[in-house]
Amino acid sequence: MLSRPLALAAALAILASLFLPWLSSPFGENVVPWTVLREMDQARAQEILSGARPETIAYGCSFVLAALFVAFALFGRESRLLAVLTGALPVALVAWALLSLIGKADATGLSFSGSAIPDMTHGMLGAGAWAWALGASLLATLGVIDPGRRRGAYG
């Protein structure tokens, strides 16, 4: 990829989001994924994974894909396909979550529109959620628009 440094920074943003606060609670406590993972024992992890919904597994896979992309990019073996997959998975999860939120509001008869989302997310979402979503969007975009590495005249 010609934009490897920028793609690497986007994938690192996804990984860094594990260590940043994602949600702010009204009680002043921040939710950081790494602290949740660090305090989990093997039995609890097995219990969560056995009953996990597909979107929960996809959320975890987004970090695994980002780590793979970083490892390949550090050795100069990154691919556009991996960049698109790594970026598209979180983007698809965000889109699915927003559509589900709007659908549930409509089903319950609450008045809710997509225009209310920026106001709701501004106070709730922390730096981790933004780093994850924006890093993924940038990585997916670079995977689509990057022309790839130029081949030499003899190779």
Side-chain angles (χ1 to χ4, degrees):
M1 292 179 72
L2 290 177
S3 58
R4 180 173 66 172
L6 191 55
L8 184 59
L12 285 171
I14 294 170
L15 289 177
S17 72
L18 269 173
F19 305 98
L20 298 171
W22 275 61
L23 298 171
S24 299
S25 73
F27 306 110
E29 190 70 27
N30 291 326
V31 177
V32 179
W34 184 251
T35 58
V36 174
L37 290 173
R38 189 180 60 212
E39 295 172 3
M40 193 178 304
D41 62 346
Q42 184 178 0
R44 179 72 177 138
Q46 290 273 346
E47 179 184 327
I48 289 173
L49 287 175
S50 67
R53 296 177 51 148
E55 55 271 14
T56 305
I57 294 171
Y59 171 74
C61 287
S62 70
F63 296 106
V64 173
L65 286 172
L68 280 173
F69 184 85
V70 167
F72 285 140
L74 288 175
F75 292 109
R77 306 298 291 166
E78 76 284 346
S79 72
R80 290 177 57 204
L81 177 62
L82 184 57
V84 170
L85 289 175
T86 303
L89 183 61
V91 170
L93 285 171
V94 169
W96 176 86
L98 291 175
L99 290 174
S100 295
L101 182 64
I102 292 170
K104 286 181 183 179
D106 290 342
T108 59
L110 298 173
S111 61
F112 177 80
S113 69
S115 63
I117 291 172
D119 293 332
M120 288 176 34
T121 59
H122 181 68
M124 285 180 15
L125 296 182
W130 290 110
W132 183 73
L134 295 175
S137 327
L138 178 60
L139 191 57
T141 303
L142 290 173
V144 170
I145 66 170
D146 191 275
R149 206 173 263 144
R150 295 193 182 137
R151 303 285 181 214
Y154 302 106

